[in-house]
Amino acid sequence: MARKRNRNRKHRAGTRKPRAGLAREELEARGIRLLTAGRFREAVADFKDLLKQERRPAWIESLAAAYAGRARGLADKGMFKEALVIWRNRAETCQLPLADPACFEWLFQTGQIEPAINLIRAERAFIEQAGLLPGLRELCAVQVLAGNEEILAAFPADDPLKADTPAALAALQAYCRGEGAVMEQQLKTIPFRSPFRDFRQILKALCLLESDATAAGRLLERVESGSPFSVLCTAVRAGQLPGAEFMRRYRLMGTAERRFAAALKGWSPQQISLAQELTQLGEHPAADTLLRFLLRHREDLGAEYVRETGARFPASLQVKAGYSKVFGPLSQFHRARIEALRLEEAAPPQQIFNAWRDACLALGYPDRQLDSESALTLALVMRRSVERWLATEPPDKNVLAALENSLRYDPDDPPTYLLLIRLYREQQQLKDARRLLDQALSRYPEDTRVLIEAVETALASDAFKKAARYARRTLELDPINPRVRAILVNSHLAHARKQIRQDKFPPARGELDQALDWARTELDRGRVDLVRGILELGEGDIPVARALLSCGFGRTGGGLVGRLFLLLEAGRMGRDL
C-alpha cells in the first residue's frame, strides 16, 4: 500500500505532460510556444531534451533565451542569488560568456564584489568586443560611490573609471560637508563621457533643489532611465513630494533609496524606522493592525495625535487594541461618532444622517448650553451629515434645517452661508434665500462670493436693478471677474425684455445701453443687437430693426445658431416673428 501511494504521489508531482513519444518537430514547436508565452522553466526543459539529441544552433539560442527569461524573472522578485545560478547554467549549457550587465548587477546586489572582479578580468576581451565596457564602468562607478572601491582592482591604471574616481569621491564628500564651491570645483574636472557623468548631474541638482527646483528637475531629466544612477534620481524626485504622495512612492522604493529620500525630507533615524515599519504593514493595513501600530508608537507620534486618530476606529477594535486602557473609556459622543463613520462606508443615506444626528444628541443638542469647543464640534458634525447626504441625494427640509442649525453654533462660516443660499434658491424658497443672504452680507459685505450669490438671488426674484447693483459692487472689488460681467449683461437684458413686453420702450433703451457697456464678447453684443432689433420692430422702425437683427444674427453665429438666438429672444418678449 505504501509503495502504491508513493507511486501516485510521484505521478502527481510532475508539472509537465510526459514527453515520451513526441517527435523532434513537436517538441521544438512546443518549446517555442512555451518560450513565447513566457513559461521559461518548461521551455528550458524542452530545449535541453532537444539538445541531448542534437546540438542545433537554433535550439541553443532558444535555450539561452529561456534561461535568460527565467533568470530575469527571478531577479524581478528580488531572488538575485537564484538568478545567478540560472545564469551560470546558461553559460555552461549553451557555452556562452557569463559576462553581461544583468549578471554584474546581480553580483553587486548580493555583495559578491570579488567574483565580479574575477569575472571582469576573465572575460575582459569579450566585454570590450561586445561593447559592454561603458555600461560596466557605470555599474562599477555606483559601487565605488557606495564604498566598494575594491572593484577598481579589475581595471587598468589608465581606465576612465579609475582616473575619475578621486574627483567623484571628493565632490561627494564636499556635498556632505556643505562645501558647495569645493564640490563645483571637483565636478568640473569630471569629463563629459565619464562613468560618473550622471552622478555629476544629480549632485548639481541636489544643490539647486531649494533655490531653483525647476532647474534641478531639468538636470535630473538628463539622466536616462536605463542609467545605474536613475534609482538615485527617483529617490531625489520622491523627496520633493508632499506627505501622502511621498509615502505611496516610498513603498515602491528599495531600502537604500528609501533612506536617501527620507534623508532629503529631513527625517530623523527614528522617523525612518517608523516609516519602514509602517511600510511593512502594507498599503491598506487592517484597522486593528494600524491601531496597534499607533498605540505602540504613541510617544514618537504624539499622544494627542494618537488619541484623536484612534478615536476614529470602531469601538470594538479600540477595546481589543487597548485604546481605552491608554486614553480612558470613550464618551457617548465618540461612540456615536465612530458608529456614524462606520456606517458611511456602505449604509443608506438616511441611516448615515440619523447616525450623525445621534452624535449631535450625545453632545447635548438641542437642550444643553455648550461651551465654544463643543458648539464648534456640533456645527461641524451637522455639516458633515449634510455633506454626506448631498453626495448622493437632493436636499430635504431636514438637511436644510441641519445647515441652518449649524450656523447657530458657528455663525462665522462663509461656505455654509453660500451653500444654504444656493440650496434655497434651487428649491425656489427665495424668501429664505434672501433671509440668509442678508445675514451673510451683514457679516461679509465685501466677500465677492457672497455678492455673486446676491446677484443670482436677485435675478431669480426678477429684481434686475438690485442684481445690477450687486454686480457693480462685485466688479469694484474684482474688476476682471468675467462671470460678473456676464451676469450684468444678462441682468440688463432681462430688465430690458421685461420693459419691452410692457411696451415701455424708452427705459428699455437705457437698459440696453448699459448691457452694451458691459458686453465684452461678440456673442453678448449680438444678443443686445437682437433685443434692440425687436424693440425697433415694436416701435415700427422696420429698416433699423432689420439692420440690427441682421447684425445680431451674424454676431451670434449665423445659420441655425443665429436663428435659434433670434427665436429665443422673440419668444422671451412675446413677439411672433
Side-chain angles (χ1 to χ4, degrees):
M1 286 295 291
R3 283 196 298 274
K4 184 175 181 181
R5 283 198 300 271
N6 288 338
R7 282 198 301 273
N8 289 339
R9 188 179 300 117
K10 184 175 181 180
H11 178 72
R12 287 195 301 271
T15 58
R16 295 185 301 122
K17 295 178 181 179
R19 292 189 295 274
L22 283 180
R24 289 183 181 183
E25 292 76 12
E26 294 174 311
L27 193 56
E28 179 183 16
R30 187 172 74 177
I32 291 171
R33 285 198 305 273
L34 292 168
L35 183 59
T36 304
R39 296 167 62 180
F40 300 116
R41 178 190 290 180
E42 296 166 85
V44 165
D46 277 354
F47 284 111
K48 282 177 69 175
D49 284 350
L50 286 167
L51 290 178
K52 288 175 184 177
Q53 302 175 47
E54 182 183 348
R55 291 191 64 82
R56 292 184 186 178
W59 293 347
I60 295 174
E61 184 179 341
S62 294
L63 178 59
Y67 270 128
R70 174 71 176 142
R72 290 191 172 94
L74 290 168
D76 289 341
K77 299 175 183 177
M79 302 169 68
F80 301 112
K81 290 183 178 179
E82 292 81 355
L84 282 168
V85 171
I86 298 295
W87 198 261
R88 290 189 176 101
N89 290 343
R90 174 183 181 270
E92 181 180 344
T93 307
C94 301
Q95 297 179 358
L96 292 172
L98 191 60
D100 184 270
C103 179
F104 285 113
E105 187 175 340
W106 301 335
L107 287 169
F108 293 144
Q109 287 280 3
T110 53
Q112 299 184 56
I113 306 299
E114 190 64 32
I117 294 172
N118 295 335
L119 181 58
I120 294 171
R121 287 170 171 166
E123 299 194 10
R124 176 81 184 204
F126 167 75
I127 291 169
E128 291 186 9
Q129 184 181 0
L132 301 178
L133 193 53
L136 177 59
R137 286 189 181 118
E138 289 187 19
L139 278 172
C140 293
V142 173
Q143 294 302 310
V144 169
L145 293 170
N148 297 320
E149 294 180 52
E150 61 268 32
I151 195 70
L152 295 172
F155 296 85
D158 60 348
D159 192 273
L161 178 64
K162 269 190 173 177
D164 299 338
T165 290
L169 290 175
L172 177 59
Q173 291 162 2
Y175 168 75
C176 293
R177 293 193 300 266
E179 299 173 353
V182 176
M183 185 201 78
E184 284 288 344
Q185 191 61 38
Q186 293 296 335
L187 290 180
K188 287 178 182 177
T189 66
I190 297 177
F192 174 73
R193 297 188 181 279
S194 168
F196 295 98
R197 64 184 180 277
D198 289 340
F199 177 66
R200 180 179 61 181
Q201 305 294 342
I202 293 169
L203 267 192
K204 287 182 177 180
L206 285 170
C207 291
L208 287 172
L209 279 177
E210 292 187 6
S211 61
D212 192 344
T214 303
R218 286 196 294 267
L219 288 170
L220 294 175
E221 286 172 2
R222 296 180 186 177
V223 180
E224 296 181 0
S225 59
S227 168
F229 289 97
S230 63
V231 291
L232 196 56
C233 286
T234 301
V236 173
R237 291 191 183 99
Q240 307 310 301
L241 297 173
E245 195 174 345
F246 172 72
M247 283 306 299
R248 282 194 291 272
R249 190 72 58 86
Y250 184 86
R251 292 186 182 93
L252 302 176
M253 293 189 286
T255 303
E257 292 83 50
R258 285 175 182 169
R259 289 186 175 278
F260 182 68
L264 290 178
K265 280 283 190 189
W267 286 7
S268 66
Q270 190 177 25
Q271 287 174 303
I272 294 174
S273 176
L274 272 177
Q276 186 69 20
E277 184 179 343
L278 183 59
T279 301
Q280 290 170 355
L281 300 182
E283 188 170 357
H284 301 289
D288 57 340
T289 301
L290 186 56
L291 183 54
R292 286 190 174 93
F293 170 84
L294 291 171
L295 292 170
R296 190 163 58 250
H297 296 289
R298 62 184 178 276
E299 291 185 8
D300 300 323
L301 297 170
E304 185 61 23
Y305 168 78
V306 173
R307 186 183 71 80
E308 286 293 330
T309 305
R312 296 176 177 270
F313 287 83
S316 58
L317 293 179
Q318 291 175 330
V319 173
K320 291 178 183 177
Y323 177 92
S324 299
K325 292 180 180 178
V326 177
F327 296 108
L330 291 171
S331 67
Q332 185 181 353
F333 165 71
H334 276 105
R335 288 183 176 277
R337 175 172 171 264
I338 289 168
E339 177 63 11
L341 289 169
R342 183 186 69 80
L343 289 173
E344 279 189 357
E345 297 178 2
Q350 187 64 59
Q351 193 174 351
I352 298 170
F353 189 85
N354 292 340
W356 282 117
R357 181 174 176 80
D358 289 342
C360 294
L361 296 174
L363 277 171
Y365 171 80
D367 303 320
R368 202 172 76 200
Q369 188 70 26
L370 300 179
D371 57 56
S372 58
E373 183 176 348
S374 297
L376 179 59
T377 301
L378 182 57
L380 293 175
V381 168
M382 289 176 169
R383 288 163 191 163
R384 171 81 176 202
S385 68
V386 172
E387 175 191 332
R388 297 300 300 170
W389 178 277
L390 293 179
T392 58
E393 303 295 323
D396 64 11
K397 62 179 183 180
N398 292 324
V399 168
L400 296 171
L403 272 184
E404 288 253 21
N405 286 326
S406 78
L407 288 172
R408 284 174 48 205
Y409 293 97
D410 175 30
D412 294 313
D413 187 58
T416 300
Y417 285 103
L418 297 172
L419 175 59
L420 197 48
I421 292 166
R422 200 172 302 126
L423 291 175
Y424 275 137
R425 194 170 61 244
E426 290 170 358
Q427 297 291 311
Q428 296 299 309
Q429 296 178 234
L430 297 179
K431 183 178 179 180
D432 288 313
R434 288 191 292 268
R435 174 173 55 80
L436 262 294
L437 185 59
D438 289 342
Q439 294 178 28
L441 285 170
S442 67
R443 287 181 173 274
Y444 316 105
E446 298 198 345
D447 189 320
T448 55
R449 298 171 300 172
V450 176
L451 287 168
I452 289 173
E453 290 301 324
V455 174
E456 299 281 11
T457 303
L459 287 175
S461 306
D462 287 341
F464 303 116
K465 287 188 176 181
K466 185 181 287 188
R469 188 171 68 250
Y470 284 133
R472 288 192 186 90
R473 177 62 183 141
T474 306
L475 285 176
E476 289 174 8
L477 299 169
D478 184 8
I480 61 172
N481 191 314
R483 182 185 172 197
V484 177
R485 286 185 175 275
I487 289 173
L488 264 173
V489 173
N490 290 334
S491 175
H492 286 298
L493 281 176
H495 202 187
R497 293 187 197 106
K498 180 179 178 181
Q499 291 168 330
I500 291 170
R501 286 195 300 270
Q502 298 170 356
D503 294 330
K504 297 178 180 179
F505 299 122
R509 290 182 187 280
E511 292 294 332
L512 290 172
D513 288 341
Q514 292 186 69
L516 192 59
D517 287 341
W518 293 110
R520 292 291 181 271
T521 66
E522 277 295 287
L523 178 61
D524 282 344
R525 293 188 184 101
R527 292 164 61 210
V528 174
D529 287 339
L530 292 176
V531 177
R532 196 185 291 276
I534 294 171
L535 182 152
E536 296 298 343
L537 274 179
E539 290 208 305
D541 195 340
I542 304 303
V544 173
R546 182 181 293 116
L548 285 167
L549 292 173
S550 176
C551 184
F553 175 79
R555 279 177 161 176
T556 54
L560 289 175
V561 178
R563 285 178 180 274
L564 177 60
F565 273 100
L566 181 56
L567 289 170
L568 283 173
E569 293 297 350
R572 283 167 175 162
M573 287 173 278
R575 294 296 190 267
D576 183 1
L577 293 187

